[in-house]
Amino acid sequence: MTLPLRKVQTGDVLRLTCAASVQFMRPILVRVIRPLDWPTYDGWLWIDAYELGARGDAVARRTLFVMTAGLVWQDPPTQPGRKTARRPVVRNPIGVA
C-alpha cells in the first residue's frame, strides 16, 4: 500500500491529472471540501471538492474518486487585487424631529 506524503484535509488545493484517475485527461484544480469516509479500494479516496476556474473561483461542486498516489498539492491560485481609491467619508449631523 502506498500512502501519500500528506493526508488530504479540508481546504487543500489539489491538481488532479491522469495520475490520480483516468477521468482527468485534462488536469483540473480542486479545493477539498472534505475527504469522505466511504469504503474504497486500497490507495483510493473519495473527496468532496470545488473545481476551481482560472481565477481560482469555484465553478462546480464535485464528488471525486481519486488515487492517493497521484495527488499533487498546489498553492491556492491568487486573484489579482483591485486597486481602489479610498476617500474619507463625509458625515453630516442628523436632525431629530
Side-chain angles (χ1 to χ4, degrees):
M1 174 172 127
T2 305
L3 295 174
L5 297 175
R6 293 169 56 179
K7 187 175 178 181
V8 177
Q9 297 178 348
T10 298
D12 284 348
V13 176
L14 303 173
R15 184 169 194 266
L16 302 178
T17 65
C18 59
S21 176
V22 294
Q23 65 184 315
F24 305 116
M25 293 303 290
R26 180 186 59 85
I28 65 169
L29 282 180
V30 297
R31 176 172 285 115
V32 176
I33 299 169
R34 68 178 175 262
L36 300 170
D37 192 22
W38 294 352
T40 65
Y41 297 102
D42 192 29
W44 290 79
L45 174 71
W46 282 100
I47 59 172
D48 262 345
Y50 290 114
E51 183 175 350
L52 302 178
R55 293 179 38 204
D57 51 342
V59 295
R61 183 174 179 165
R62 300 182 60 177
T63 300
L64 303 167
F65 188 54
V66 294
M67 187 183 323
T68 55
L71 300 178
V72 179
W73 277 260
Q74 297 283 300
D75 292 328
T78 57
Q79 295 182 358
R82 293 186 321 178
K83 295 192 178 201
T84 57
R86 299 204 178 245
R87 288 174 264 155
V89 177
V90 177
R91 300 187 195 273
N92 296 322
I94 300 174
V96 179

